[in-house]
Amino acid sequence: MLKLDLIQTVAFAGMVLFIGYGIRGIIPFLARYNIPAPVIGGLLIAVMILIARRYEVTLFQFDTTLQSPLMIAFFTSIGFGASYSLLKVGGPQVILFFILASVVAIIQNVVGILLAIPLGMHPLFGVIVGSLTLTGGPATGLAFAPFFEQAGVAGAATLAVAAAMAGIVSAGLVGGPVTTYIISRYKLNPASTNTPVATGATAITRQESGSARSADEANSSFVLIKNLVIVLAAMWVGAWISNGLKAIHVTLPAYIGAMVVAAVVRNLDDRTKIFGLSPRVIDDLGNTALSLFLVMALMTLKLWELAGLALPLLVILAAQIVVIVALCLWPVFQLMGRDYESAVTVSGFCGFMLGITANAMANMTTLVERYGPAPRAFLIVPMIAAFFIDFPNALIITVCLNIWK
């Protein structure tokens, strides 16, 4: 048995991450359906541990002390992306899309719960195979998994990963065909788009460029340490908030306090430039933390806990896919404008409401390469999928947990 301390565990996770990148480069299917490299590498180790367990062999003993801080760091970086000024730049359609995504997240949980109960599963099983993993993705699923296990769902982490992976593959399979059908049925083309978005896109670019050209960024090491300290400080203050909420018996994941603090700091900085935040540096820090967190969480999964859950998992997933496809056809397409841009937006909606942001971007990119540009869709979808949807989704999941805990 290889026994690893906390630093060795993170180092091992880093090596496994690059093994995941290597495998994805070799197997085109994995890249085509946007399977994340941390998921590939982490599941590889989990499968190795599963096989060794059948022979009563223990391969590794990990120290996962840093897993939770890495998870909180990632969600803190998401909080720093919640800029009201960017949301305002997108105009009414961004707000509408945000509301649609939030309502559909609720629908996913209703569908999951209504099917889980007759299948003889815990109601929260339906939430796991609902907005937790489909809207939230594997990171949100793993972050909330301990709360679901405390509420009585055995093997919640393993189930969350299985549901998230199935969702990611499904998002890649159905997003393109649904939008292709819409484009063909309504005979849409880029020229049919009536809503200009150049001003909004230019404003975002200008804002990011202005930040990138700040005087502090002439010294990259200074910028890195400044933004790292700000992220850590947000995590620190956020921990106080989370502990306060815990004291009054409100069930929330540890990262919520930090996300809220980060959002406040970002919007204060947008108005005053007091901190001189670099969104690109914070995104890089967040993505690094996410990659290491996912690998560490996945390589410690107990895959044997999935035994007996395959049938209810598949039934609920099939229903969720049907629901998302139906909602994309009506009312999402109609409400977003019934034009070519709306059709491309639908493909992104399908991508991140079943999978992850990468699915949304891949679906939309494939369509614009074939049919033509859709700048409004590329403004709206990433903003909601990558940042804003996590806030209402966390609240929705928390409400479900508090009802059935």
Side-chain angles (χ1 to χ4, degrees):
M1 180 179 67
L2 181 61
K3 187 175 181 179
L4 305 176
D5 63 25
L6 78 167
I7 298 298
Q8 292 166 342
T9 298
V10 174
F12 183 79
M15 291 186 284
V16 170
L17 170 64
F18 282 99
I19 291 172
Y21 278 116
I23 294 173
R24 193 172 67 174
I26 294 171
I27 305 176
F29 169 85
L30 298 175
R32 185 181 309 123
Y33 292 106
N34 304 294
I35 308 299
V39 172
I40 299 169
L43 285 178
L44 174 65
I45 300 301
V47 169
M48 290 172 57
I49 292 173
L50 174 65
I51 294 171
R53 185 176 183 270
R54 295 192 62 182
Y55 297 96
E56 299 183 351
V57 175
T58 302
L59 295 180
F60 307 103
Q61 182 177 329
F62 299 114
D63 183 342
T64 57
T65 302
L66 294 177
Q67 181 175 316
S68 180
L70 287 169
M71 178 265 293
I72 296 171
F74 163 67
F75 283 103
T76 304
S77 75
I78 293 294
F80 279 110
S83 168
Y84 175 72
S85 62
L86 290 183
L87 190 64
K88 190 166 60 175
V89 160
Q93 283 205 314
V94 172
I95 305 296
L96 174 60
F97 193 69
F98 174 63
I99 293 171
L100 280 171
S102 302
V103 171
V104 172
I106 296 173
I107 293 172
Q108 286 179 326
N109 289 336
V110 171
V111 170
I113 292 167
L114 290 178
L115 287 174
I117 294 173
L119 288 168
M121 308 305 295
H122 194 292
L124 289 176
F125 184 100
V127 178
I128 294 176
V129 197
S131 79
L132 178 68
T133 56
L134 301 182
T135 300
T140 302
L142 289 169
F144 272 95
F147 294 100
F148 281 82
E149 291 184 353
Q150 291 169 16
V153 184
T158 306
L159 174 63
V161 172
M165 290 296 296
I168 288 170
V169 173
S170 301
L173 289 172
V174 304
V178 168
T179 303
T180 301
Y181 167 76
I182 291 173
I183 291 172
S184 300
R185 178 180 177 183
Y186 294 97
K187 298 179 174 57
L188 304 174
N189 57 73
S192 68
T193 298
N194 298 316
T195 306
V197 293
T199 302
T202 302
I204 290 179
T205 304
R206 206 171 283 152
Q207 182 178 20
E208 298 292 341
S209 298
S211 172
R213 288 194 298 266
S214 65
D216 288 342
E217 295 208 17
N219 186 334
S220 59
S221 61
F222 175 81
V223 175
L224 176 62
I225 190 65
K226 179 180 72 172
N227 284 273
L228 176 59
V229 169
I230 291 171
V231 169
L232 292 172
M235 292 169 63
W236 184 10
V237 177
W240 291 344
I241 295 174
S242 296
N243 289 336
L245 292 171
K246 187 176 181 180
I248 59 175
H249 307 291
V250 176
T251 302
L252 286 171
Y255 66 78
I256 292 296
M259 279 183 75
V260 171
V261 172
V264 171
V265 171
R266 170 62 190 268
N267 286 280
L268 178 63
D269 190 64
D270 282 348
R271 295 180 66 87
T272 66
K273 306 299 180 187
I274 189 172
F275 299 109
L277 298 175
S278 171
R280 288 184 177 88
V281 172
I282 292 175
D283 285 348
D284 288 342
L285 291 171
N287 289 333
T288 301
L290 173 63
S291 295
L292 293 173
F293 160 69
L294 281 177
V295 174
M296 291 177 67
L298 291 167
M299 67 187 187
T300 55
L301 282 180
K302 300 173 182 177
L303 293 178
W304 52 89
E305 292 178 342
L306 276 178
L309 300 178
L311 180 59
L313 174 63
L314 291 174
V315 169
I316 297 175
L317 277 172
Q320 297 285 17
I321 293 168
V322 170
V323 168
I324 291 297
V325 169
L327 290 171
C328 284
L329 296 173
W330 189 92
V332 175
F333 171 65
Q334 284 75 12
L335 289 174
M336 292 307 296
R338 291 176 59 91
D339 58 11
Y340 169 74
E341 290 265 20
S342 304
V344 176
T345 301
V346 161
S347 73
F349 183 84
C350 187
F352 81 85
M353 292 304 294
L354 286 175
I356 55 178
T357 306
N359 287 110
M361 300 307 291
N363 286 350
M364 294 193 299
T365 299
T366 301
L367 289 166
V368 299
E369 286 175 352
R370 177 178 177 183
Y371 295 104
R376 189 181 76 213
F378 277 85
L379 171 66
I380 294 172
V381 174
M383 195 184 303
I384 302 304
F387 302 117
F388 290 99
I389 191 58
D390 285 311
F391 285 92
N393 192 35
L395 178 61
I396 292 164
I397 295 164
T398 300
V399 169
C400 293
L401 278 167
N402 281 284
I403 292 173
W404 280 287
K405 68 180 179 180

